[in-house]
Amino acid sequence: MAALWVRRALRGLCGAALFLSQLSVLSGRAGSLMTTKLSQPQSTLAKSLTSTSTNTPYFKAAESTEIPPYMIKCPSNGLCSRLPPDCMTCNTNYSCIYGKPATFDCKVKPHVHCVDENNHEQENFTVNMTCQFCWQLATSDYVCTNSTSCMTVSCPRQRYNATCTVRDHIHCLGNRVFPKMLYCNWTGGYKWSTALALSITLGGFGADRFYLGQWREGLGKLFSFGGLGIWTLIDVLLIGVGYVGPADGSLYI
């Protein structure tokens, strides 16, 4: 009986040991699965952060490659004092005297590179110019629009509203684009010498008036034989002094 009881006790212990071993194996598998599942979102998040961080410098580089419009007029590595006014920013010298030379402190705009007389790159420099506003410059220092609608041969002589722009190498104060009233000075291509020659030679047939575009007067001279010579002589004098001009109101060449 004692031996039978001992065998049963050993079988019970073996069963308990087998159950505990299986339980430990199952708990180890579950822990590995949990670790794998938790590590997957972290790796995905790391990949998303990495991809975002690599894209950020691309957009910054694209923004930095934009070239300002004024760079077209700005020469590279030229003398700073000879840069066009659009390439620099200058401080107004309120102590300058009108019509007198003055010195202005200037600084190059971004992306502009220039050097001094010793070929050293610099950003701050001085510019010498005459103390006057842009609209006070000489007529040779700016370019204005022309008008083909006003009459140049009129009394008093007509004016028109023009828009003027200062030349690139000229420095001045104020706006570089300004309005100005100018005299009508456009030409339609008529030559004074041709009109005078036609008036002297063929004026009796109205050739001078036809050339100037005055068809009615030309027909009148043609059918009246130059007003029996009197109209012809008068036209020679009027064209000679420039009183009679083209019919479109333009000036002679």
mmCIF file of all heavy atoms in Angstrom, residues 175-212:
data_model
loop_
_atom_site.group_PDB
_atom_site.id
_atom_site.type_symbol
_atom_site.label_atom_id
_atom_site.label_comp_id
_atom_site.label_asym_id
_atom_site.label_seq_id
_atom_site.Cartn_x
_atom_site.Cartn_y
_atom_site.Cartn_z
ATOM 1 N N ASN A 175 11.519 110.206 -56.818
ATOM 2 C CA ASN A 175 11.062 109.150 -57.722
ATOM 3 C C ASN A 175 11.807 109.223 -59.052
ATOM 4 O O ASN A 175 11.972 110.298 -59.620
ATOM 5 C CB ASN A 175 9.562 109.269 -57.965
ATOM 6 C CG ASN A 175 8.756 109.059 -56.702
ATOM 7 O OD1 ASN A 175 9.153 108.277 -55.840
ATOM 8 N ND2 ASN A 175 7.629 109.746 -56.579
ATOM 9 N N ARG A 176 12.206 108.060 -59.561
ATOM 10 C CA ARG A 176 12.927 107.992 -60.828
ATOM 11 C C ARG A 176 11.976 107.961 -62.022
ATOM 12 O O ARG A 176 12.407 108.085 -63.155
ATOM 13 C CB ARG A 176 13.842 106.769 -60.846
ATOM 14 C CG ARG A 176 14.880 106.780 -59.747
ATOM 15 C CD ARG A 176 15.823 105.607 -59.874
ATOM 16 N NE ARG A 176 16.549 105.613 -61.124
ATOM 17 C CZ ARG A 176 17.653 106.333 -61.357
ATOM 18 N NH1 ARG A 176 18.144 107.121 -60.416
ATOM 19 N NH2 ARG A 176 18.262 106.261 -62.526
ATOM 20 N N VAL A 177 10.697 107.796 -61.787
ATOM 21 C CA VAL A 177 9.664 107.882 -62.823
ATOM 22 C C VAL A 177 8.698 108.991 -62.410
ATOM 23 O O VAL A 177 8.118 108.939 -61.318
ATOM 24 C CB VAL A 177 8.924 106.544 -62.988
ATOM 25 C CG1 VAL A 177 7.846 106.662 -64.055
ATOM 26 C CG2 VAL A 177 9.895 105.424 -63.348
ATOM 27 N N PHE A 178 8.518 109.980 -63.259
ATOM 28 C CA PHE A 178 7.737 111.159 -62.891
ATOM 29 C C PHE A 178 7.014 111.706 -64.121
ATOM 30 O O PHE A 178 7.460 111.514 -65.256
ATOM 31 C CB PHE A 178 8.652 112.240 -62.295
ATOM 32 C CG PHE A 178 9.825 112.600 -63.161
ATOM 33 C CD1 PHE A 178 9.736 113.617 -64.102
ATOM 34 C CD2 PHE A 178 11.027 111.911 -63.050
ATOM 35 C CE1 PHE A 178 10.808 113.936 -64.906
ATOM 36 C CE2 PHE A 178 12.114 112.228 -63.855
ATOM 37 C CZ PHE A 178 12.000 113.253 -64.777
ATOM 38 N N PRO A 179 5.894 112.407 -63.939
ATOM 39 C CA PRO A 179 5.186 113.043 -65.058
ATOM 40 C C PRO A 179 5.760 114.426 -65.347
ATOM 41 O O PRO A 179 6.305 115.094 -64.460
ATOM 42 C CB PRO A 179 3.747 113.133 -64.543
ATOM 43 C CG PRO A 179 3.896 113.258 -63.064
ATOM 44 C CD PRO A 179 5.133 112.470 -62.683
ATOM 45 N N LYS A 180 5.626 114.841 -66.611
ATOM 46 C CA LYS A 180 6.137 116.154 -66.993
ATOM 47 C C LYS A 180 5.390 116.648 -68.223
ATOM 48 O O LYS A 180 5.018 115.868 -69.103
ATOM 49 C CB LYS A 180 7.639 116.074 -67.289
ATOM 50 C CG LYS A 180 8.340 117.431 -67.243
ATOM 51 C CD LYS A 180 9.843 117.281 -67.180
ATOM 52 C CE LYS A 180 10.517 118.609 -66.934
ATOM 53 N NZ LYS A 180 11.992 118.490 -66.787
ATOM 54 N N MET A 181 5.163 117.969 -68.267
ATOM 55 C CA MET A 181 4.518 118.601 -69.423
ATOM 56 C C MET A 181 5.591 118.983 -70.439
ATOM 57 O O MET A 181 6.511 119.742 -70.126
ATOM 58 C CB MET A 181 3.746 119.841 -68.987
ATOM 59 C CG MET A 181 2.531 119.544 -68.116
ATOM 60 S SD MET A 181 1.193 118.764 -69.031
ATOM 61 C CE MET A 181 0.730 120.080 -70.138
ATOM 62 N N LEU A 182 5.473 118.438 -71.647
ATOM 63 C CA LEU A 182 6.452 118.701 -72.699
ATOM 64 C C LEU A 182 5.764 119.265 -73.930
ATOM 65 O O LEU A 182 4.570 119.047 -74.159
ATOM 66 C CB LEU A 182 7.191 117.399 -73.067
ATOM 67 C CG LEU A 182 7.983 116.711 -71.952
ATOM 68 C CD1 LEU A 182 8.602 115.418 -72.470
ATOM 69 C CD2 LEU A 182 9.069 117.635 -71.410
ATOM 70 N N TYR A 183 6.552 119.973 -74.728
ATOM 71 C CA TYR A 183 6.033 120.497 -75.988
ATOM 72 C C TYR A 183 5.891 119.364 -77.002
ATOM 73 O O TYR A 183 6.653 118.394 -76.991
ATOM 74 C CB TYR A 183 6.980 121.569 -76.548
ATOM 75 C CG TYR A 183 6.891 122.899 -75.836
ATOM 76 C CD1 TYR A 183 7.928 123.343 -75.021
ATOM 77 C CD2 TYR A 183 5.769 123.718 -75.991
ATOM 78 C CE1 TYR A 183 7.858 124.572 -74.365
ATOM 79 C CE2 TYR A 183 5.692 124.942 -75.338
ATOM 80 C CZ TYR A 183 6.725 125.357 -74.523
ATOM 81 O OH TYR A 183 6.649 126.559 -73.885
ATOM 82 N N CYS A 184 4.923 119.501 -77.865
ATOM 83 C CA CYS A 184 4.741 118.521 -78.928
ATOM 84 C C CYS A 184 5.940 118.587 -79.879
ATOM 85 O O CYS A 184 6.210 119.643 -80.459
ATOM 86 C CB CYS A 184 3.448 118.803 -79.694
ATOM 87 S SG CYS A 184 1.967 118.717 -78.677
ATOM 88 N N ASN A 185 6.633 117.504 -80.048
ATOM 89 C CA ASN A 185 7.861 117.516 -80.843
ATOM 90 C C ASN A 185 8.004 116.267 -81.703
ATOM 91 O O ASN A 185 9.107 115.873 -82.048
ATOM 92 C CB ASN A 185 9.089 117.649 -79.934
ATOM 93 C CG ASN A 185 9.182 116.493 -78.947
ATOM 94 O OD1 ASN A 185 8.261 115.704 -78.814
ATOM 95 N ND2 ASN A 185 10.295 116.417 -78.242
ATOM 96 N N TRP A 186 6.886 115.632 -82.046
ATOM 97 C CA TRP A 186 7.000 114.408 -82.837
ATOM 98 C C TRP A 186 7.013 114.751 -84.322
ATOM 99 O O TRP A 186 6.615 115.832 -84.746
ATOM 100 C CB TRP A 186 5.841 113.463 -82.523
ATOM 101 C CG TRP A 186 4.498 113.948 -82.977
ATOM 102 C CD1 TRP A 186 3.728 114.917 -82.404
ATOM 103 C CD2 TRP A 186 3.771 113.482 -84.102
ATOM 104 N NE1 TRP A 186 2.564 115.096 -83.091
ATOM 105 C CE2 TRP A 186 2.559 114.232 -84.146
ATOM 106 C CE3 TRP A 186 4.008 112.520 -85.077
ATOM 107 C CZ2 TRP A 186 1.599 114.027 -85.133
ATOM 108 C CZ3 TRP A 186 3.054 112.326 -86.053
ATOM 109 C CH2 TRP A 186 1.870 113.073 -86.075
ATOM 110 N N THR A 187 7.499 113.860 -85.145
ATOM 111 C CA THR A 187 7.601 114.085 -86.586
ATOM 112 C C THR A 187 6.982 112.919 -87.334
ATOM 113 O O THR A 187 7.034 111.771 -86.882
ATOM 114 C CB THR A 187 9.066 114.256 -87.017
ATOM 115 O OG1 THR A 187 9.122 114.414 -88.435
ATOM 116 C CG2 THR A 187 9.892 113.045 -86.627
ATOM 117 N N GLY A 188 6.372 113.234 -88.473
ATOM 118 C CA GLY A 188 5.772 112.212 -89.315
ATOM 119 C C GLY A 188 6.671 111.786 -90.464
ATOM 120 O O GLY A 188 6.242 111.016 -91.325
ATOM 121 N N GLY A 189 7.908 112.283 -90.482
ATOM 122 C CA GLY A 189 8.856 111.906 -91.522
ATOM 123 C C GLY A 189 8.929 112.863 -92.692
ATOM 124 O O GLY A 189 9.587 112.555 -93.693
ATOM 125 N N TYR A 190 8.287 114.010 -92.600
ATOM 126 C CA TYR A 190 8.325 114.990 -93.695
ATOM 127 C C TYR A 190 9.592 115.833 -93.578
ATOM 128 O O TYR A 190 9.943 116.296 -92.500
ATOM 129 C CB TYR A 190 7.104 115.903 -93.656
ATOM 130 C CG TYR A 190 5.800 115.177 -93.862
ATOM 131 C CD1 TYR A 190 5.030 114.751 -92.785
ATOM 132 C CD2 TYR A 190 5.327 114.926 -95.149
ATOM 133 C CE1 TYR A 190 3.831 114.095 -92.984
ATOM 134 C CE2 TYR A 190 4.125 114.269 -95.357
ATOM 135 C CZ TYR A 190 3.386 113.849 -94.266
ATOM 136 O OH TYR A 190 2.190 113.189 -94.459
ATOM 137 N N LYS A 191 10.264 116.058 -94.724
ATOM 138 C CA LYS A 191 11.488 116.840 -94.761
ATOM 139 C C LYS A 191 11.191 118.261 -95.225
ATOM 140 O O LYS A 191 10.481 118.475 -96.219
ATOM 141 C CB LYS A 191 12.515 116.196 -95.700
ATOM 142 C CG LYS A 191 13.056 114.858 -95.205
ATOM 143 C CD LYS A 191 14.140 114.340 -96.128
ATOM 144 C CE LYS A 191 14.729 113.042 -95.629
ATOM 145 N NZ LYS A 191 15.806 112.538 -96.518
ATOM 146 N N TRP A 192 11.758 119.228 -94.514
ATOM 147 C CA TRP A 192 11.559 120.630 -94.869
ATOM 148 C C TRP A 192 12.210 120.944 -96.216
ATOM 149 O O TRP A 192 11.649 121.683 -97.029
ATOM 150 C CB TRP A 192 12.149 121.511 -93.778
ATOM 151 C CG TRP A 192 12.158 122.979 -94.126
ATOM 152 C CD1 TRP A 192 11.123 123.859 -94.021
ATOM 153 C CD2 TRP A 192 13.253 123.726 -94.651
ATOM 154 N NE1 TRP A 192 11.492 125.105 -94.441
ATOM 155 C CE2 TRP A 192 12.809 125.047 -94.837
ATOM 156 C CE3 TRP A 192 14.571 123.399 -94.996
ATOM 157 C CZ2 TRP A 192 13.633 126.052 -95.336
ATOM 158 C CZ3 TRP A 192 15.387 124.402 -95.490
ATOM 159 C CH2 TRP A 192 14.917 125.704 -95.660
ATOM 160 N N SER A 193 13.377 120.355 -96.474
ATOM 161 C CA SER A 193 14.079 120.634 -97.730
ATOM 162 C C SER A 193 13.281 120.116 -98.919
ATOM 163 O O SER A 193 13.210 120.775 -99.979
ATOM 164 C CB SER A 193 15.465 119.996 -97.707
ATOM 165 O OG SER A 193 15.370 118.580 -97.512
ATOM 166 N N THR A 194 12.642 118.967 -98.788
ATOM 167 C CA THR A 194 11.834 118.418 -99.890
ATOM 168 C C THR A 194 10.615 119.287 -100.154
ATOM 169 O O THR A 194 10.258 119.553 -101.313
ATOM 170 C CB THR A 194 11.406 116.979 -99.554
ATOM 171 O OG1 THR A 194 12.567 116.179 -99.309
ATOM 172 C CG2 THR A 194 10.616 116.368 -100.701
ATOM 173 N N ALA A 195 9.947 119.730 -99.083
ATOM 174 C CA ALA A 195 8.766 120.577 -99.248
ATOM 175 C C ALA A 195 9.126 121.914 -99.910
ATOM 176 O O ALA A 195 8.396 122.392 -100.796
ATOM 177 C CB ALA A 195 8.107 120.828 -97.906
ATOM 178 N N LEU A 196 10.260 122.491 -99.537
ATOM 179 C CA LEU A 196 10.666 123.765 -100.128
ATOM 180 C C LEU A 196 11.053 123.590 -101.591
ATOM 181 O O LEU A 196 10.702 124.438 -102.453
ATOM 182 C CB LEU A 196 11.839 124.342 -99.332
ATOM 183 C CG LEU A 196 12.360 125.704 -99.786
ATOM 184 C CD1 LEU A 196 11.252 126.763 -99.694
ATOM 185 C CD2 LEU A 196 13.565 126.137 -98.961
ATOM 186 N N ALA A 197 11.737 122.491 -101.915
ATOM 187 C CA ALA A 197 12.121 122.250 -103.309
ATOM 188 C C ALA A 197 10.890 122.045 -104.182
ATOM 189 O O ALA A 197 10.818 122.565 -105.311
ATOM 190 C CB ALA A 197 13.046 121.039 -103.389
ATOM 191 N N LEU A 198 9.901 121.316 -103.699
ATOM 192 C CA LEU A 198 8.670 121.121 -104.472
ATOM 193 C C LEU A 198 7.896 122.421 -104.616
ATOM 194 O O LEU A 198 7.274 122.673 -105.667
ATOM 195 C CB LEU A 198 7.793 120.062 -103.791
ATOM 196 C CG LEU A 198 8.311 118.622 -103.824
ATOM 197 C CD1 LEU A 198 7.409 117.720 -103.002
ATOM 198 C CD2 LEU A 198 8.381 118.127 -105.271
ATOM 199 N N SER A 199 7.933 123.270 -103.594
ATOM 200 C CA SER A 199 7.218 124.543 -103.680
ATOM 201 C C SER A 199 7.842 125.474 -104.707
ATOM 202 O O SER A 199 7.136 126.220 -105.392
ATOM 203 C CB SER A 199 7.211 125.216 -102.304
ATOM 204 O OG SER A 199 6.500 126.433 -102.337
ATOM 205 N N ILE A 200 9.174 125.422 -104.860
ATOM 206 C CA ILE A 200 9.839 126.306 -105.819
ATOM 207 C C ILE A 200 9.674 125.797 -107.250
ATOM 208 O O ILE A 200 9.409 126.570 -108.166
ATOM 209 C CB ILE A 200 11.335 126.431 -105.451
ATOM 210 C CG1 ILE A 200 11.494 127.134 -104.095
ATOM 211 C CG2 ILE A 200 12.091 127.188 -106.533
ATOM 212 C CD1 ILE A 200 12.917 127.152 -103.583
ATOM 213 N N THR A 201 9.792 124.482 -107.429
ATOM 214 C CA THR A 201 9.785 123.927 -108.793
ATOM 215 C C THR A 201 8.383 123.583 -109.295
ATOM 216 O O THR A 201 8.004 123.950 -110.403
ATOM 217 C CB THR A 201 10.660 122.663 -108.831
ATOM 218 O OG1 THR A 201 10.185 121.715 -107.854
ATOM 219 C CG2 THR A 201 12.113 123.006 -108.520
ATOM 220 N N LEU A 202 7.600 122.870 -108.487
ATOM 221 C CA LEU A 202 6.282 122.410 -108.918
ATOM 222 C C LEU A 202 5.163 122.983 -108.056
ATOM 223 O O LEU A 202 4.076 122.415 -107.970
ATOM 224 C CB LEU A 202 6.220 120.871 -108.872
ATOM 225 C CG LEU A 202 7.243 120.129 -109.748
ATOM 226 C CD1 LEU A 202 7.157 118.632 -109.493
ATOM 227 C CD2 LEU A 202 6.989 120.460 -111.222
ATOM 228 N N GLY A 203 5.444 124.131 -107.415
ATOM 229 C CA GLY A 203 4.423 124.733 -106.556
ATOM 230 C C GLY A 203 3.199 125.184 -107.314
ATOM 231 O O GLY A 203 2.090 125.190 -106.770
ATOM 232 N N GLY A 204 3.358 125.533 -108.604
ATOM 233 C CA GLY A 204 2.197 125.962 -109.387
ATOM 234 C C GLY A 204 1.201 124.844 -109.611
ATOM 235 O O GLY A 204 0.020 125.112 -109.882
ATOM 236 N N PHE A 205 1.608 123.595 -109.508
ATOM 237 C CA PHE A 205 0.705 122.446 -109.660
ATOM 238 C C PHE A 205 0.264 121.858 -108.307
ATOM 239 O O PHE A 205 -0.364 120.808 -108.264
ATOM 240 C CB PHE A 205 1.386 121.357 -110.489
ATOM 241 C CG PHE A 205 1.788 121.822 -111.854
ATOM 242 C CD1 PHE A 205 3.096 122.222 -112.108
ATOM 243 C CD2 PHE A 205 0.852 121.882 -112.888
ATOM 244 C CE1 PHE A 205 3.471 122.648 -113.370
ATOM 245 C CE2 PHE A 205 1.230 122.296 -114.150
ATOM 246 C CZ PHE A 205 2.538 122.693 -114.396
ATOM 247 N N GLY A 206 0.640 122.532 -107.220
ATOM 248 C CA GLY A 206 0.226 122.077 -105.889
ATOM 249 C C GLY A 206 1.014 120.895 -105.351
ATOM 250 O O GLY A 206 0.557 120.224 -104.419
ATOM 251 N N ALA A 207 2.214 120.615 -105.931
ATOM 252 C CA ALA A 207 2.983 119.451 -105.483
ATOM 253 C C ALA A 207 3.421 119.591 -104.032
ATOM 254 O O ALA A 207 3.472 118.585 -103.292
ATOM 255 C CB ALA A 207 4.200 119.270 -106.385
ATOM 256 N N ASP A 208 3.725 120.811 -103.584
ATOM 257 C CA ASP A 208 4.158 121.002 -102.202
ATOM 258 C C ASP A 208 3.034 120.712 -101.218
ATOM 259 O O ASP A 208 3.232 120.086 -100.187
ATOM 260 C CB ASP A 208 4.691 122.418 -102.012
ATOM 261 C CG ASP A 208 3.717 123.467 -102.529
ATOM 262 O OD1 ASP A 208 2.701 123.095 -103.154
ATOM 263 O OD2 ASP A 208 3.955 124.668 -102.307
ATOM 264 N N ARG A 209 1.828 121.150 -101.564
ATOM 265 C CA ARG A 209 0.686 120.888 -100.683
ATOM 266 C C ARG A 209 0.312 119.403 -100.677
ATOM 267 O O ARG A 209 -0.062 118.848 -99.639
ATOM 268 C CB ARG A 209 -0.503 121.728 -101.137
ATOM 269 C CG ARG A 209 -0.308 123.233 -100.983
ATOM 270 C CD ARG A 209 -0.473 123.649 -99.529
ATOM 271 N NE ARG A 209 -0.365 125.100 -99.380
ATOM 272 C CZ ARG A 209 -0.711 125.770 -98.283
ATOM 273 N NH1 ARG A 209 -1.164 125.105 -97.243
ATOM 274 N NH2 ARG A 209 -0.584 127.068 -98.226
ATOM 275 N N PHE A 210 0.397 118.761 -101.836
ATOM 276 C CA PHE A 210 0.128 117.318 -101.886
ATOM 277 C C PHE A 210 1.136 116.550 -101.030
ATOM 278 O O PHE A 210 0.778 115.589 -100.344
ATOM 279 C CB PHE A 210 0.174 116.814 -103.324
ATOM 280 C CG PHE A 210 -1.031 117.208 -104.131
ATOM 281 C CD1 PHE A 210 -0.891 117.897 -105.329
ATOM 282 C CD2 PHE A 210 -2.315 116.890 -103.706
ATOM 283 C CE1 PHE A 210 -1.995 118.247 -106.076
ATOM 284 C CE2 PHE A 210 -3.432 117.236 -104.449
ATOM 285 C CZ PHE A 210 -3.268 117.923 -105.636
ATOM 286 N N TYR A 211 2.395 116.959 -101.077
ATOM 287 C CA TYR A 211 3.440 116.282 -100.305
ATOM 288 C C TYR A 211 3.184 116.416 -98.804
ATOM 289 O O TYR A 211 3.410 115.464 -98.040
ATOM 290 C CB TYR A 211 4.808 116.862 -100.667
ATOM 291 C CG TYR A 211 5.927 116.374 -99.781
ATOM 292 C CD1 TYR A 211 6.432 115.078 -99.904
ATOM 293 C CD2 TYR A 211 6.496 117.215 -98.811
ATOM 294 C CE1 TYR A 211 7.470 114.629 -99.086
ATOM 295 C CE2 TYR A 211 7.530 116.776 -98.002
ATOM 296 C CZ TYR A 211 8.008 115.484 -98.142
ATOM 297 O OH TYR A 211 9.025 115.041 -97.337
ATOM 298 N N LEU A 212 2.698 117.570 -98.374
ATOM 299 C CA LEU A 212 2.452 117.801 -96.956
ATOM 300 C C LEU A 212 1.122 117.214 -96.481
ATOM 301 O O LEU A 212 0.793 117.326 -95.300
ATOM 302 C CB LEU A 212 2.483 119.303 -96.657
ATOM 303 C CG LEU A 212 3.831 119.991 -96.883
ATOM 304 C CD1 LEU A 212 3.699 121.497 -96.674
ATOM 305 C CD2 LEU A 212 4.907 119.411 -95.973
#
